[in-house]
């Protein structure tokens, strides 16, 4: 069994971004990411803090807007519009979830597709689907990097994805298709989930259920990518896959923590640099 090391691979990507940022600086171009956080959700604050740290490491300038919980939608949209219009801002990230009185879709739709480093805008998603140049969604694109840099052959392989969310499952399927995999998407209404999963050469799990996938879902030698993140009692993290059990049959597997998680931020940094013209 091979351990797919997301910590190491994300470190490589951040180092590559750092080099690109330095080169751009020599050309007089600074890379800037604007991060907007509304309210004080503790998990969101941690995510935003990690993004700021990655910016510091790579040399990307981060501009942080921490707005109170009762910020109106109009005020938030006005800030996004202002950032859209600033030539010195390359990426805009609005940390989700937003407070209930703000409509997430309206906010996402207001971000300029040219600065949409999360790749959530319908135009960004459309570009990705038809294979046009543009930002790629961070978690799924990070998984492609994990596979490629771990020498996993994708072309012609059967890839089963469990989960069809707009953030992970659906874009993951599009990117695997781009890489010439034969793709099956499963969800809560899928019949014979176990049998479908057992036919996978590459199994990507994004269900949001701690340790649901055990070795009975996995073909001998399959590559297993675990997107799930859950905090167990005692603060230990686990994924959607029962790692200890599945590692006995998998050919390669990502751990949690240290697998997909660190790739998401690394790919965000990569998107910020690719947004510089
Ligand atoms: P969602 O809750 O949006 O989607 C879960 C998907 O799993 C749905 O499509 C759902 O089906 C499907 N599902 C749920 N239960 C079952 C079941 N019993 N059998 C088959 N399918 C099922 O989650 P996300 O996609 O946003 O996230 C998934 C996991 O990944 C979470 O643990 C999340 O924390 C983690 N995550 C990690 C990231 C990272 O950076 N590593 C980034 C984003 C997410 P249906 O559509 O029918 O309801």
């Amino acid at each position: 069994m091979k351990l797919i090391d997301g910590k190491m691979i994300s470190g490589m990507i951040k180092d590559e971004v750092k080099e690109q940022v330095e080169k751009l600086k020599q050309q007089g171009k600074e890379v800037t990411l604007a991060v907007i956080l509304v309210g004080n959700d503790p998990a969101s604050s941690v995510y935003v803090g990690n993004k700021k740290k990655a910016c510091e490491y790579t040399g990307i300038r981060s501009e942080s807007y921490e707005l109170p919980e009762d910020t109106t939608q109009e005020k938030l949209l006005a800030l996004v519009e202002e950032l859209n219009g600033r030539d010195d801002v390359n990426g805009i990230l609005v940390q989700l979830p937003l407070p209930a009185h703000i409509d997430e879709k309206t906010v996402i739709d207001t971000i300029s597709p040219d600065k949409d480093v999360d790749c959530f805008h319908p135009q960004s998603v459309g570009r990705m689907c038809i294979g046009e140049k543009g930002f790629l969604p961070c978690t799924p694109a990070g998984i492609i990097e994990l596979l490629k840099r771990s020498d996993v052959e994708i072309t012609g392989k059967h890839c089963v994805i469990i989960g069809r969310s707009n953030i992970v499952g659906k874009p993951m399927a599009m990117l695997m298709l781009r890489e010439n995999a034969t793709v099956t998407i499963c969800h809560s209404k899928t019949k014979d989930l176990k049998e479908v999963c057992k036919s996978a050469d590459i199994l990507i799990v994004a269900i949001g259920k701690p340790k649901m996938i055990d070795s009975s879902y996995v073909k001998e030698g399959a590559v297993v990518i675990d997107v799930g993140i859950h905090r167990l009692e005692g603060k230990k993290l686990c994924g959607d896959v029962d790692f200890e059990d599945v590692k006995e049959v998998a050919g390669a597997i990502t751990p949690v923590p240290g697998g997909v998680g660190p790739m998401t931020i690394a790919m965000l940094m990569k998107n910020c640099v690719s947004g510089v013209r």
Side-chain angles (χ1 to χ4, degrees):
M1 186 276 299
K2 177 178 174 173
L3 194 71
I4 299 180
D5 189 345
K7 202 165 173 216
M8 190 260 292
I9 296 172
S10 65
M12 281 164 64
I13 292 172
K14 281 193 279 182
D15 284 340
E16 289 161 17
V17 170
K18 192 175 178 173
E19 237 171 72
Q20 284 171 297
V21 171
E22 266 164 31
K23 271 193 198 139
L24 286 165
K25 272 191 188 152
Q26 283 161 15
Q27 297 166 22
K29 293 180 188 168
E30 186 158 47
V31 187
T32 299
L33 171 67
V35 181
I36 305 174
L37 173 66
V38 185
N40 30 33
D41 175 61
S44 292
S45 300
V46 171
Y47 292 141
V48 164
N50 288 341
K51 286 166 191 175
K52 279 194 217 158
K53 261 188 232 156
C55 282
E56 264 165 44
Y57 181 81
T58 51
I60 293 173
R61 203 172 75 81
S62 71
E63 240 178 54
S64 174
Y65 296 87
E66 286 168 26
L67 310 178
E69 181 83 24
D70 61 357
T71 301
T72 62
Q73 178 162 315
E74 288 65 36
K75 209 165 172 195
L76 176 59
L77 294 179
L79 172 60
V80 172
E81 296 280 17
E82 182 200 319
L83 295 167
N84 281 345
R86 272 180 48 193
D87 289 341
D88 61 329
V89 171
N90 312 98
I92 302 171
L93 183 148
V94 179
Q95 184 64 46
L96 303 180
L98 289 167
H101 66 278
I102 299 178
D103 181 44
E104 280 183 6
K105 185 175 156 39
T106 306
V107 176
I108 289 170
D109 288 358
T110 305
I111 297 173
S112 160
D114 293 334
K115 301 187 180 188
D116 177 32
V117 283
D118 260 338
C119 192
F120 290 163
H121 191 287
Q123 196 171 311
S124 311
V125 178
R127 278 181 189 163
M128 175 202 54
C129 288
I130 59 177
E132 268 184 18
K133 218 173 163 323
F135 294 117
L136 295 180
C138 299
T139 303
I143 291 170
I144 300 286
E145 289 290 334
L146 276 182
L147 294 170
K148 286 188 171 172
R149 294 181 191 233
S150 306
D151 297 321
V152 174
E153 174 77 39
I154 303 176
T155 296
K157 293 290 157 67
H158 183 207
C159 173
V160 173
I161 298 161
I162 325 179
R164 56 173 164 181
S165 70
N166 288 335
I167 295 177
V168 188
K170 276 187 219 159
M172 189 72 246
M174 293 313 302
L175 294 188
M176 288 304 274
L177 196 57
R178 254 200 200 187
E179 298 297 331
N180 299 314
T182 302
V183 180
T184 302
I185 308 174
C186 301
H187 45 78
S188 64
K189 308 284 186 294
T190 297
K191 289 203 175 98
D192 303 323
L193 180 68
K194 214 173 252 193
E195 286 316 304
V196 179
C197 292
K198 278 197 108 157
S199 70
D201 302 308
I202 301 172
L203 180 63
I204 302 179
V205 188
I207 358 177
K209 300 247 153 74
K211 298 190 185 181
M212 183 180 133
I213 300 304
D214 63 19
S215 58
S216 66
Y217 288 78
V218 180
K219 179 168 79 177
E220 184 88 40
V223 175
V224 179
I225 304 290
D226 187 357
V227 187
I229 308 178
H230 309 277
R231 198 168 284 282
L232 298 171
E233 275 175 45
K235 293 210 154 187
K236 222 177 151 218
L237 292 180
C238 83
D240 290 343
V241 173
D242 183 344
F243 180 85
E244 289 306 320
D245 188 37
V246 171
K247 77 177 194 328
E248 301 302 327
V249 290
I253 184 168
T254 56
V256 177
V260 175
M263 294 302 292
T264 301
I265 291 186
M267 297 310 284
L268 174 71
M269 298 297 108
K270 204 170 166 177
N271 274 349
C272 291
V273 175
S274 74
V276 179
R277 259 150 265 272

